[in-house]
Amino acid sequence: MKATILIHCPDQPGIISSVTGFIHSQRGNIIYLDQHVDKQAGIFFMRLESDFSNQMTSLEKFNEAFETDLAKPNKMEWNIYSDGIRPKMVLFVSKYNHCLYDLLSRYRSGELDVEIPFIISNHDELRDIAGQFDIDFHHIPITSETKSQAEEKQLRLLKEHHIDFIVLARYMQIVTETLISEYPNKIINIHHSFLPAFAGAKPYHAAFERGVKIIGATSHYVTEDLDAGPIIEQDVTTVSHSHSIKDFIAKGRDLEKIVLSRAVKLHLERKTMVYNNKTVIFS
Amino acid sequence: MKATILIHCPDQPGIISSVTGFIHSQRGNIIYLDQHVDKQAGIFFMRLESDFSNQMTSLEKFNEAFETDLAKPNKMEWNIYSDGIRPKMVLFVSKYNHCLYDLLSRYRSGELDVEIPFIISNHDELRDIAGQFDIDFHHIPITSETKSQAEEKQLRLLKEHHIDFIVLARYMQIVTETLISEYPNKIINIHHSFLPAFAGAKPYHAAFERGVKIIGATSHYVTEDLDAGPIIEQDVTTVSHSHSIKDFIAKGRDLEKIVLSRAVKLHLERKTMVYNNKTVIFS
Amino acid sequence: MKATILIHCPDQPGIISSVTGFIHSQRGNIIYLDQHVDKQAGIFFMRLESDFSNQMTSLEKFNEAFETDLAKPNKMEWNIYSDGIRPKMVLFVSKYNHCLYDLLSRYRSGELDVEIPFIISNHDELRDIAGQFDIDFHHIPITSETKSQAEEKQLRLLKEHHIDFIVLARYMQIVTETLISEYPNKIINIHHSFLPAFAGAKPYHAAFERGVKIIGATSHYVTEDLDAGPIIEQDVTTVSHSHSIKDFIAKGRDLEKIVLSRAVKLHLERKTMVYNNKTVIFS
Amino acid sequence: MKATILIHCPDQPGIISSVTGFIHSQRGNIIYLDQHVDKQAGIFFMRLESDFSNQMTSLEKFNEAFETDLAKPNKMEWNIYSDGIRPKMVLFVSKYNHCLYDLLSRYRSGELDVEIPFIISNHDELRDIAGQFDIDFHHIPITSETKSQAEEKQLRLLKEHHIDFIVLARYMQIVTETLISEYPNKIINIHHSFLPAFAGAKPYHAAFERGVKIIGATSHYVTEDLDAGPIIEQDVTTVSHSHSIKDFIAKGRDLEKIVLSRAVKLHLERKTMVYNNKTVIFS
């Protein structure tokens, strides 16, 4: 069995040695280890990929030992993910199709090791694309009056299918606390600006107005503060006076696709950890 | 004689043909032409490099004809710059030396076609570097009480030496209206962030706090709104959770140098035009 | 009527003025003008977008006048493209689907102003994707014995449908003189390296072997010299020792998609001109 | 005491645990650990920063224990570097001054934790810059007849001053086996192209001729194969048809400075390891 283990705890001398010694004692072979210490916050982070072949007695016993021998004494928070289990991801969309096409193409090509049980949208426009890729499409309209019922409906669907995380692929609605509290650090958004510049609506228009020479896109975990959650990935591209707002939008589409898909992959590969509204992104 | 001509005027049919026809009629050969129309604002911009060899009667007569035949009828604002004249640039610095070293090295290498009659600083720390490059150094200290006298003193020096433009090479003071009104779109600043993100003080600290994955630097013309003037040039570099604020600052230094020197070159080569608090940057 | 005009001719004084004057005399309004002089080769290049509204008598007469008054005296080669006509593009593919998905998604979204009458492939694997997007798919297998017949078959299809240009979207066959001579500077290839580095087969393997820190992709017009045609667009991404060949390939896929689609757009917008095995790419 | 330890050895289960356990047993606190396994080659690489405070008996005893308990049983090659010792670096230059200015400015600013006892040049042109920065300058002319004597002279100077590594800052001579064998993986060169493209002389001319849209610079360790040594760092910048060879050279200068200084820093911080003509670059 292969597994990925994520750990964070207060920093202390000997912590790397303790962890690696424990894994070794459990007949695990560490294939990959990445670690980070936030010196300001005094927190230690670690990501381990380990191969336990068939020597390990059982995952249950391993977890028990880890908890007792390692986690408790070191005040660790930790998670273990077996390689065999594919997480379930749901896409939220509205009317823009470029991120949807990009993610579904990658999914269909086997690039993303994930299941996509269905797509949710507050509009019906992108139903055909879901059809092209044989994926269920739930049209749940939202008005200011029906917002909370709509979110309840979304939540029921997500629970029913044991969805692990949500990707807002240019979903043009603000997600509320109802969903966020159920999926903390598990809702990935793509914002079409180089955050924190141009948060909120119409960032390309604002960027054009300001006369910037570079535009960007930012993928982040959704928190209750709009466009202010922990940043997973950003990228930029150059623009000039010769580009219109329409050109900004066209160039931005390519950025958004790339940045969102990178963030989704990092999340899927368990390479992201969140603390203090920031991320540690392991390589 | 070679000359660079910058023009802007209300957009109208036939304007390119009118200008190029006029230059041709004056026995000028257009070596380079770049043009831009801001469709929203309805403004036409043009940059011409022209070779008049020895066929042109006189610059004076050319200017007269241009004004009468071309500029007036088309409501143009325009400037002509002969290639032979080197502009005079002054550097304002405080304590950081990287931009100063970079610009002086380029100057000494002949990379910048400019004169640098002297350097002004509110601190004395960088006097030695001025000495290394044999450039006069004026230490004009500034306190909140003496600020206006200090600026008067700066202005006197600038006027006395017929300085054309000013470069704030990490000058840690806010320049006031006194200087700005005398040098409109002629004071170039380098701000150590990807504007409009992180305007104001300590941008690297703010970027670190926000957990961005990319940091930037921005060179702009100074206006009375702090860090809000027309942007000339921007560039960025990637950072990660593993970088400390100190690392941000070190990476930023290289960005600041490059971005400021590019902006200075663009200004020197008359490739910048300003309107609506934005720039047209010709290539 | 809007039209785009591409011109190249020996460089000479007054040429810009001649062209713009002519357009003006034909009641055309120049919306966009970009020009370039290759000083080494002494060649002048120009791209004009012009709006003739309903004032122009006829395209035929315009062309005649252009030929007589402008082209002949100045030894110009030139082309005019009316905005209303959508070019016909055919995709050649083999087994890789990422460039195909990317181009078809852009096509379907209306991002590419083009018709795609059909797809040609030497394998049958990607037929389903063509089906997803309702595009005809011609499977024309190729072996070393049947290569020339297969190319004749391809050519017949292309001629029959009046195809304007061809995009090799990771087509794993060498295209021969049969096709190239019929489509000079009209076959666009994507090569998965930063040419001229790693031309030929297995560039990611070669890049890995050499230990480069950056990999690239290159889109170029196909000529008889393998991977040596005029370069339209290139882009790169960073890699490190921690990336395997598989990682190179995954990162490269994203590069290939972006670079190829940019090249296709530039070609579609008539922004490319070819000479001396190089391109002028207008902005 | 702080120290950096570099290790490589055949990969094997439990190796990370062995090393970290050993450091812990020696009362060292691991501040930073980065590791890499080349799966193809079956080699394990590790870089450790460790803090031994005043608890460690002596460096000598530590080294002995490391050798006996860890290195021998695991067939390790390893090095330990105490933080307190500043390496000695010598710059080789010819006539180009941009990399020299850049490195000396960084050195003077305290950005590079190194000593520069002197500069060697085959020309006398840059003596003044050495003077500006108060550094000894040895002019050792080279002709095809005197090459080997000149190199002997260089070598004597290097040995006499216990020089640790050499930086060829646009040194326009081929360094021979005489020096290379004495300084294996300790001579850093900057080549003004994106290697392996355009190795050898006049890379900017070759890039211009080929019509590339991106140019680069590469810093690498010098081996006996010209421009083919292990790559430390690369970077690129975009160019277009509008750039002349002179523009390529000007843009390239900025690349060369940045890429070389990054490589020098990586080397200084013991973040580079070499094997199979490739580098592992720790972050």
Side-chain angles (χ1 to χ4, degrees):
Chain A
M1 187 198 74
K2 273 190 187 181
T4 300
I5 299 170
L6 296 180
I7 296 166
H8 70 105
C9 64
D11 190 31
Q12 58 203 284
I15 184 74
I16 297 177
S17 165
S18 300
V19 177
T20 56
F22 174 80
I23 300 293
H24 194 52
S25 77
Q26 296 286 319
R27 302 177 181 233
N29 180 27
I30 297 170
I31 301 163
Y32 191 81
L33 177 157
D34 209 346
Q35 132 280 351
H36 169 64
V37 176
D38 184 310
K39 277 166 198 165
Q40 286 196 311
I43 307 176
F44 172 83
F45 299 87
M46 189 183 257
R47 182 178 180 279
L48 275 172
E49 289 179 25
S50 224
D51 194 342
F52 294 93
S53 8
N54 37 22
Q55 296 164 320
M56 199 172 71
T57 45
S58 81
L59 185 58
E60 215 165 87
K61 283 198 179 160
F62 175 87
N63 288 352
E64 230 178 84
F66 196 112
E67 189 60 38
T68 315
D69 300 355
L70 206 58
K72 275 233 176 96
N74 293 295
K75 290 172 190 154
M76 280 180 186
E77 293 185 41
W78 67 290
N79 279 294
I80 184 165
Y81 303 96
S82 298
D83 255 24
I85 299 161
R86 301 175 84 200
K88 289 183 180 176
M89 166 172 103
V90 159
L91 302 174
F92 279 44
V93 297
S94 290
K95 292 180 171 181
Y96 295 111
N97 63 24
H98 52 286
C99 286
L100 179 62
Y101 261 131
D102 188 67
L103 287 169
L104 293 184
S105 304
R106 291 173 193 275
Y107 167 61
R108 177 67 63 86
S109 307
E111 214 179 286
L112 301 175
D113 198 20
V114 72
E115 281 183 48
I116 305 181
F118 54 87
I119 293 162
I120 285 178
S121 180
N122 58 329
H123 292 284
D124 208 41
E125 271 84 349
L126 304 184
R127 179 181 295 279
D128 280 0
I129 299 177
Q132 268 186 286
F133 289 84
D134 277 323
I135 294 174
D136 284 350
F137 183 89
H138 296 284
H139 177 205
I140 305 178
I142 297 183
T143 64
S144 46
E145 293 81 42
T146 64
K147 178 121 186 175
S148 67
Q149 292 120 287
E151 286 210 330
E152 288 304 329
K153 206 167 163 186
Q154 290 172 350
L155 200 52
R156 261 200 314 278
L157 271 169
L158 296 169
K159 295 266 172 183
E160 208 174 293
H161 289 82
H162 307 286
I163 298 307
D164 291 296
F165 70 106
I166 298 165
V167 174
L168 310 182
R170 295 301 309 277
Y171 179 61
M172 305 305 283
Q173 288 281 324
I174 292 170
V175 168
T176 70
E177 208 264 341
T178 313
L179 247 68
I180 296 171
S181 62
E182 295 283 338
Y183 288 91
N185 299 325
K186 288 179 177 174
I187 306 176
I188 299 172
N189 186 39
I190 178 72
H191 183 75
H192 40 315
S193 86
F194 181 81
L195 289 175
F198 310 122
K202 292 202 174 273
Y204 291 129
H205 289 73
F208 180 83
E209 195 57 39
R210 178 63 187 92
V212 295
K213 302 302 183 191
I214 289 177
I215 56 170
T218 304
S219 191
H220 62 93
Y221 288 116
V222 174
T223 59
E224 290 186 50
D225 293 328
L226 185 65
D227 299 331
I231 294 171
I232 306 169
E233 174 76 9
Q234 299 188 292
D235 208 347
V236 297
T237 193
T238 55
V239 291
S240 81
H241 65 273
S242 72
H243 292 103
S244 63
I245 293 179
K246 217 179 129 192
D247 295 328
F248 277 38
I249 292 170
K251 288 197 127 204
R253 272 196 298 262
D254 282 356
L255 273 182
E256 294 162 28
K257 291 193 298 193
I258 289 285
V259 169
L260 180 57
S261 76
R262 281 191 206 141
V264 169
K265 269 191 215 175
L266 287 167
H267 183 87
L268 272 174
E269 293 168 356
R270 319 294 185 187
K271 291 189 169 171
T272 65
M273 294 186 78
V274 175
Y275 75 108
N276 286 359
N277 205 44
K278 294 162 76 166
T279 57
V280 171
I281 304 292
F282 291 113
S283 62
Chain B
M1 187 197 77
K2 275 191 188 180
T4 300
I5 299 171
L6 296 180
I7 295 167
H8 70 105
C9 65
D11 190 29
Q12 58 203 283
I15 183 73
I16 298 177
S17 166
S18 300
V19 177
T20 56
F22 174 80
I23 300 292
H24 193 51
S25 76
Q26 296 287 319
R27 303 177 181 231
N29 181 29
I30 297 170
I31 301 162
Y32 192 82
L33 178 157
D34 209 345
Q35 132 281 351
H36 169 64
V37 175
D38 184 310
K39 277 166 198 165
Q40 286 195 312
I43 307 176
F44 172 82
F45 300 87
M46 189 184 258
R47 182 179 181 277
L48 276 173
E49 290 179 24
S50 225
D51 194 342
F52 294 94
S53 5
N54 37 23
Q55 298 165 318
M56 200 172 71
T57 44
S58 80
L59 186 58
E60 217 165 85
K61 283 198 178 157
F62 176 86
N63 288 352
E64 231 177 84
F66 196 112
E67 189 59 37
T68 314
D69 299 355
L70 206 59
K72 274 231 176 98
N74 293 295
K75 289 173 193 154
M76 281 180 184
E77 295 185 39
W78 68 289
N79 280 294
I80 184 165
Y81 304 95
S82 299
D83 254 26
I85 299 162
R86 302 174 83 198
K88 290 182 181 177
M89 168 173 103
V90 158
L91 302 173
F92 279 43
V93 298
S94 291
K95 293 182 171 179
Y96 295 110
N97 63 24
H98 53 286
C99 286
L100 180 62
Y101 261 131
D102 187 67
L103 286 169
L104 293 183
S105 304
R106 290 173 194 275
Y107 168 62
R108 177 65 66 86
S109 307
E111 214 180 288
L112 301 175
D113 198 20
V114 73
E115 282 182 47
I116 306 180
F118 54 88
I119 294 162
I120 284 178
S121 180
N122 58 330
H123 292 285
D124 209 41
E125 272 84 350
L126 304 184
R127 180 181 294 279
D128 280 359
I129 298 177
Q132 268 187 285
F133 288 83
D134 277 322
I135 294 175
D136 284 351
F137 183 89
H138 295 286
H139 176 207
I140 304 178
I142 296 184
T143 64
S144 46
E145 293 82 40
T146 64
K147 178 124 187 172
S148 67
Q149 290 120 286
E151 285 210 330
E152 288 303 330
K153 205 167 165 187
Q154 291 172 351
L155 199 53
R156 261 200 314 280
L157 271 168
L158 297 169
K159 294 267 172 182
E160 207 175 293
H161 289 81
H162 307 286
I163 298 306
D164 292 296
F165 70 105
I166 299 166
V167 173
L168 310 182
R170 294 302 309 277
Y171 179 60
M172 306 305 282
Q173 287 282 325
I174 291 171
V175 168
T176 72
E177 207 264 342
T178 312
L179 247 68
I180 297 171
S181 63
E182 296 281 341
Y183 288 92
N185 299 324
K186 288 179 177 176
I187 307 176
I188 299 172
N189 186 40
I190 177 74
H191 183 75
H192 40 314
S193 86
F194 181 80
L195 289 175
F198 310 123
K202 293 202 173 273
Y204 292 129
H205 289 73
F208 181 83
E209 195 57 38
R210 179 63 187 91
V212 294
K213 301 304 184 191
I214 290 178
I215 56 170
T218 303
S219 189
H220 62 94
Y221 288 116
V222 174
T223 60
E224 291 187 48
D225 293 330
L226 186 65
D227 298 332
I231 294 171
I232 306 168
E233 174 76 9
Q234 300 189 291
D235 208 347
V236 297
T237 193
T238 55
V239 291
S240 81
H241 64 272
S242 72
H243 292 103
S244 63
I245 292 179
K246 217 179 130 192
D247 296 328
F248 277 37
I249 292 170
K251 288 196 126 204
R253 271 197 298 262
D254 282 356
L255 273 182
E256 294 162 28
K257 291 193 298 193
I258 288 284
V259 169
L260 180 57
S261 75
R262 280 190 207 143
V264 169
K265 270 191 212 173
L266 288 167
H267 183 87
L268 272 175
E269 294 168 355
R270 319 294 186 185
K271 291 189 169 169
T272 66
M273 294 186 78
V274 175
Y275 75 108
N276 285 358
N277 204 43
K278 296 163 73 166
T279 58
V280 172
I281 303 292
F282 291 113
S283 63
Chain C
M1 187 197 78
K2 274 191 187 180
T4 300
I5 300 171
L6 296 180
I7 296 167
H8 70 105
C9 64
D11 189 30
Q12 59 202 286
I15 183 74
I16 297 177
S17 166
S18 301
V19 176
T20 57
F22 174 81
I23 300 291
H24 192 52
S25 76
Q26 296 286 318
R27 304 179 180 230
N29 181 28
I30 298 170
I31 301 163
Y32 192 82
L33 178 158
D34 209 345
Q35 130 283 350
H36 170 63
V37 175
D38 185 311
K39 278 166 197 164
Q40 286 195 313
I43 306 177
F44 172 83
F45 299 87
M46 188 184 258
R47 182 178 180 278
L48 277 173
E49 290 178 25
S50 223
D51 193 342
F52 294 93
S53 5
N54 37 24
Q55 298 164 317
M56 199 172 72
T57 44
S58 81
L59 186 58
E60 216 164 86
K61 282 199 180 157
F62 176 86
N63 288 351
E64 230 177 85
F66 196 113
E67 188 61 36
T68 315
D69 300 355
L70 206 60
K72 274 229 176 99
N74 292 295
K75 289 173 192 155
M76 281 180 185
E77 295 186 38
W78 68 290
N79 279 295
I80 184 166
Y81 303 95
S82 299
D83 254 27
I85 299 162
R86 303 175 83 200
K88 291 183 179 175
M89 167 173 103
V90 159
L91 302 173
F92 278 43
V93 298
S94 291
K95 294 181 170 179
Y96 295 111
N97 63 24
H98 53 286
C99 286
L100 180 62
Y101 261 131
D102 186 68
L103 287 169
L104 293 183
S105 305
R106 290 173 193 275
Y107 168 62
R108 177 65 64 88
S109 308
E111 213 180 288
L112 301 176
D113 198 20
V114 73
E115 283 183 46
I116 306 182
F118 55 87
I119 293 162
I120 284 178
S121 180
N122 58 329
H123 292 284
D124 209 41
E125 271 84 349
L126 304 183
R127 178 182 294 278
D128 280 0
I129 299 177
Q132 268 188 286
F133 289 83
D134 277 323
I135 294 174
D136 285 350
F137 184 87
H138 295 285
H139 177 206
I140 304 178
I142 296 183
T143 63
S144 46
E145 292 83 41
T146 64
K147 177 123 187 173
S148 67
Q149 290 121 286
E151 285 210 328
E152 288 304 329
K153 206 168 164 185
Q154 292 172 349
L155 200 52
R156 260 199 316 279
L157 272 168
L158 297 169
K159 294 268 174 181
E160 207 174 293
H161 290 80
H162 307 286
I163 298 307
D164 291 297
F165 70 104
I166 299 165
V167 173
L168 310 182
R170 296 299 311 276
Y171 180 59
M172 306 305 283
Q173 287 281 324
I174 292 171
V175 168
T176 72
E177 208 264 341
T178 313
L179 247 69
I180 296 170
S181 62
E182 295 283 339
Y183 288 91
N185 298 325
K186 288 178 177 174
I187 307 175
I188 299 172
N189 186 39
I190 178 72
H191 183 74
H192 39 315
S193 86
F194 181 80
L195 288 175
F198 310 122
K202 294 202 173 271
Y204 292 129
H205 290 73
F208 181 83
E209 194 59 37
R210 179 62 187 90
V212 294
K213 301 303 184 191
I214 290 178
I215 56 170
T218 303
S219 189
H220 63 94
Y221 288 116
V222 174
T223 59
E224 290 186 49
D225 293 328
L226 185 65
D227 298 331
I231 293 170
I232 305 168
E233 174 76 10
Q234 299 189 292
D235 208 348
V236 297
T237 193
T238 54
V239 290
S240 80
H241 65 272
S242 71
H243 293 103
S244 63
I245 292 179
K246 217 180 131 191
D247 296 329
F248 277 36
I249 292 170
K251 288 197 127 205
R253 272 197 298 260
D254 282 356
L255 272 182
E256 294 161 29
K257 291 193 298 194
I258 288 285
V259 169
L260 181 58
S261 76
R262 280 190 207 143
V264 168
K265 270 191 211 173
L266 288 168
H267 182 87
L268 271 174
E269 294 169 354
R270 318 295 186 183
K271 291 188 170 170
T272 65
M273 294 185 78
V274 174
Y275 75 109
N276 285 0
N277 205 45
K278 295 162 75 165
T279 58
V280 171
I281 303 292
F282 291 113
S283 63
Chain D
M1 188 198 76
K2 274 191 186 180
T4 300
I5 300 171
L6 296 180
I7 296 167
H8 70 105
C9 64
D11 189 32
Q12 59 202 284
I15 183 75
I16 297 177
S17 166
S18 301
V19 176
T20 57
F22 174 81
I23 300 293
H24 193 52
S25 76
Q26 297 286 319
R27 301 176 182 233
N29 180 27
I30 297 170
I31 302 163
Y32 192 82
L33 176 157
D34 208 345
Q35 129 282 347
H36 169 63
V37 175
D38 185 312
K39 277 165 198 165
Q40 286 194 312
I43 306 177
F44 173 83
F45 299 88
M46 189 183 258
R47 181 178 180 278
L48 275 174
E49 290 178 26
S50 224
D51 194 341
F52 293 94
S53 9
N54 38 22
Q55 297 165 319
M56 198 173 72
T57 44
S58 81
L59 185 58
E60 213 165 89
K61 282 197 178 158
F62 176 86
N63 288 352
E64 229 177 84
F66 197 112
E67 188 60 37
T68 315
D69 299 355
L70 206 59
K72 275 234 176 94
N74 292 295
K75 288 172 193 155
M76 281 179 185
E77 294 184 41
W78 68 291
N79 280 294
I80 184 165
Y81 303 95
S82 299
D83 255 25
I85 299 161
R86 301 175 84 200
K88 290 182 180 177
M89 167 173 102
V90 159
L91 302 175
F92 279 44
V93 297
S94 291
K95 293 180 171 182
Y96 294 111
N97 63 24
H98 53 285
C99 286
L100 180 61
Y101 261 130
D102 187 68
L103 286 169
L104 293 183
S105 304
R106 291 173 193 274
Y107 168 62
R108 177 65 65 88
S109 307
E111 214 180 287
L112 301 176
D113 198 20
V114 72
E115 282 182 47
I116 306 181
F118 55 87
I119 293 162
I120 284 178
S121 180
N122 58 329
H123 292 286
D124 209 41
E125 272 82 350
L126 303 183
R127 179 181 294 278
D128 279 0
I129 298 178
Q132 269 186 285
F133 289 83
D134 278 323
I135 294 174
D136 285 350
F137 184 88
H138 296 284
H139 177 207
I140 305 178
I142 297 184
T143 63
S144 46
E145 293 82 42
T146 64
K147 177 121 186 173
S148 67
Q149 289 120 289
E151 286 210 329
E152 289 302 330
K153 205 166 163 186
Q154 291 173 349
L155 200 52
R156 260 199 315 278
L157 271 168
L158 297 169
K159 294 267 173 183
E160 208 175 291
H161 289 80
H162 305 287
I163 299 306
D164 291 297
F165 70 105
I166 299 165
V167 174
L168 310 182
R170 295 300 311 275
Y171 180 60
M172 306 304 283
Q173 287 281 325
I174 291 171
V175 167
T176 71
E177 208 265 339
T178 312
L179 247 69
I180 297 170
S181 63
E182 296 281 340
Y183 288 92
N185 299 325
K186 288 178 177 175
I187 307 176
I188 299 172
N189 186 38
I190 178 72
H191 183 74
H192 39 315
S193 87
F194 181 80
L195 288 175
F198 310 122
K202 294 202 173 272
Y204 292 129
H205 289 73
F208 180 84
E209 195 57 39
R210 179 63 186 91
V212 294
K213 301 303 183 190
I214 290 178
I215 56 169
T218 304
S219 190
H220 62 93
Y221 288 115
V222 174
T223 60
E224 290 187 49
D225 292 328
L226 185 64
D227 299 330
I231 294 171
I232 306 168
E233 175 75 9
Q234 299 189 292
D235 208 347
V236 296
T237 194
T238 55
V239 291
S240 81
H241 65 273
S242 72
H243 292 103
S244 62
I245 292 179
K246 216 179 130 193
D247 296 329
F248 277 37
I249 292 171
K251 287 197 127 204
R253 273 197 297 262
D254 282 356
L255 273 182
E256 294 161 29
K257 291 194 297 195
I258 288 286
V259 169
L260 180 58
S261 75
R262 281 191 205 140
V264 168
K265 270 191 212 173
L266 288 167
H267 183 87
L268 271 175
E269 294 168 353
R270 320 294 186 186
K271 290 187 170 171
T272 65
M273 294 186 77
V274 175
Y275 75 108
N276 285 359
N277 204 45
K278 296 163 75 166
T279 58
V280 171
I281 304 292
F282 291 112
S283 64

